[in-house]
């Protein structure tokens, strides 16, 4: 890489890229940052709920092999209690449904956040062009 001094034209062009950051621009940048942080938290939450649902599905599949009259341990808080198989299957089904509703709500929130982030990106890129980087590395 060869280094050289800028010509007068290049210096003038560089000066045009230095736009003043107005208060409303800074507010948009700050809002984008807060939304990005919220997006990352919701994505982490989605991953943990997906893992939890996967575990419940695996347990449900294992219980299908158990004897109907058998009592099986069910975790309630920090303790395990012995419950009849049909009752445990019902509780697992309710837990799975609850997780699916939660995942759906979280995905909806994520969609709203990403939509707002894209709107802010459009506004900020139209004002600052390549002088600002709002790429989050995620899939928007």
């Amino acid at each position: 890489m060869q280094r050289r001094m800028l010509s007068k034209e290049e210096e003038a062009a560089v000066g045009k890229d230095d736009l003043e950051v107005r208060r409303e621009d800074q507010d948009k940048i700050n809002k984008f940052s807060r939304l990005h942080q919220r997006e990352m938290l919701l994505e982490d939450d989605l991953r943990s709920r997906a893992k939890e649902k996967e575990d419940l599905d695996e347990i449900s599949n294992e219980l299908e092999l158990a004897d109907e009259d058998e009592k099986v341990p069910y975790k309630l808080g920090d303790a395990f209690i012995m419950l009849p198989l049909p009752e445990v299957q019902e509780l697992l089904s309710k837990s799975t449904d609850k997780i699916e509703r939660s995942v759906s709500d979280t995905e909806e929130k994520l969609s709203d956040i990403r939509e707002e982030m894209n709107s802010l990106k459009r506004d900020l890129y139209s004002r600052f062009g390549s002088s600002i980087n709002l790429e989050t590395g995620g899939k928007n």
Side-chain angles (χ1 to χ4, degrees), residues 32-132:
F32 182 87
S33 178
R34 286 191 305 273
L35 288 171
H36 177 60
Q37 290 298 316
R38 179 90 171 115
E39 177 190 35
M40 290 188 325
L41 289 173
L42 289 174
E43 286 174 345
D44 287 344
D45 185 45
L46 267 181
R47 280 190 289 278
S48 76
R49 293 200 187 278
K51 172 73 171 115
E52 193 176 339
K53 184 180 180 313
E54 184 180 312
D55 292 345
L56 288 177
D57 288 342
E58 189 176 315
I59 292 168
S60 293
N61 290 338
E62 288 292 322
L63 287 177
E64 288 178 8
L65 303 174
D67 186 23
E68 282 285 329
D69 300 330
E70 193 176 336
K71 288 194 175 210
V72 293
Y74 183 79
K75 185 175 182 182
L76 198 57
D78 290 335
F80 284 90
I81 56 174
M82 298 301 283
L83 294 174
L85 180 63
E87 190 174 337
V88 170
Q89 288 174 324
E90 171 120 6
L91 289 169
L92 285 174
S93 175
K94 286 180 182 179
S95 293
T96 302
D97 291 344
K98 183 179 177 184
I99 289 173
E100 287 172 349
R101 283 192 305 276
S102 176
V103 164
S104 177
D105 290 345
T106 303
E107 286 174 340
E108 189 175 315
K109 288 177 189 175
L110 257 176
S111 175
D112 292 345
I113 285 173
R114 287 176 176 155
E115 191 175 303
E116 192 169 355
M117 285 174 67
N118 285 332
S119 173
L120 289 168
K121 273 185 186 182
R122 271 191 306 279
D123 293 348
L124 290 167
Y125 277 134
S126 69
R127 170 122 170 92
F128 295 104
S130 62
S131 300
I132 191 168

